[in-house]
Amino acid sequence: MGAPHDTAMSSSAEPYTFSLLLRAEDAVRRSTWVRDRRRVVLLHGWLQDHASWLSTAHHLRRQYGHSVLLLDWLHHGRSETPTDPAALSPDALVRQLRSTLEHICWAGPGQPSRLTIGGCSLGGAVAMMYTNLYPQDVDRLVLVAPAGFNEPWYRVITHAGRFSANALIRSTRCV
């Protein structure tokens, strides 16, 4: 099984982001008939964490030999809670995803293969935004009940001001 990767930036001001990479090479059993090994990124929804995709990730690795990346958005799962609520905006989450992908060398120039990105709810919205910004990195996009940007969590951050966003962070710290 892959090990968790610390994708924190070198600057101590950046919050820690938890990610888990299940590498195809580490699979106990691989199907021999699958020729197209892929790099798959699975993105969870709001108030979920990487564990919502863990069973799927293990299946994709064991059954099909794909490498799978799971990560926790900031303020979710094992990742830190940022001090700035703007770090939870969709644009900031796209930057978090890009940073994680660059850290594990899955994004950027010279990559041998493109990514399959799957997202549920908020993860689907971020997957769409990422695909729009970096189409050269994405081969396939899989959306499971993707969120639109008129969702209550987004309105809190963009329209109701920082006070409401801070209240949201305080009220969900234990999630």
Side-chain angles (χ1 to χ4, degrees):
M1 180 190 318
H5 291 273
D6 178 349
T7 58
M9 304 297 285
S10 58
S11 167
S12 61
E14 293 290 327
Y16 168 78
T17 300
F18 174 84
S19 64
L20 178 66
L21 177 60
L22 303 176
R23 297 180 310 156
E25 308 83 69
D26 298 334
V28 174
R29 177 184 60 164
R30 286 193 244 170
S31 298
T32 56
W33 58 271
V34 177
R35 285 190 238 162
D36 189 18
R37 308 282 184 219
R38 296 188 165 278
R39 295 180 302 164
V40 179
V41 179
L42 298 175
L43 305 174
H44 67 79
W46 184 253
L47 299 182
Q48 297 176 338
D49 64 12
H50 73 280
S52 63
W53 284 110
L54 196 55
S55 174
T56 302
H58 280 295
H59 183 76
L60 288 171
R61 185 177 61 118
R62 277 193 306 258
Q63 188 66 31
Y64 301 106
H66 300 320
S67 293
V68 183
L69 173 69
L70 305 173
L71 66 96
D72 284 338
W73 300 123
L74 292 176
H75 186 61
H76 293 80
R78 296 176 184 220
S79 292
E80 288 185 351
T81 297
T83 55
D84 181 9
L88 301 176
S89 72
D91 291 329
L93 297 179
V94 169
R95 288 191 300 275
Q96 178 186 352
L97 174 59
R98 181 67 177 187
S99 174
T100 301
L101 292 173
E102 287 175 344
H103 181 78
I104 64 170
C105 300
W106 276 21
Q111 292 304 315
S113 63
R114 298 185 338 170
L115 302 171
T116 297
I117 298 183
C120 174
S121 186
L122 169 65
V126 173
M128 286 187 285
M129 291 176 66
Y130 184 90
T131 301
N132 188 48
L133 287 172
Y134 303 101
Q136 71 280 3
D137 288 352
V138 181
D139 181 43
R140 295 180 181 177
L141 177 63
V142 179
L143 303 173
V144 179
F149 293 124
N150 197 22
E151 297 289 329
W153 63 267
Y154 186 71
R155 282 195 307 266
V156 166
I157 292 171
T158 60
H159 298 296
R162 302 290 182 229
F163 178 78
S164 296
N166 285 327
L168 175 65
I169 288 172
R170 282 192 304 277
S171 68
T172 59
R173 274 196 204 277
C174 62
V175 173

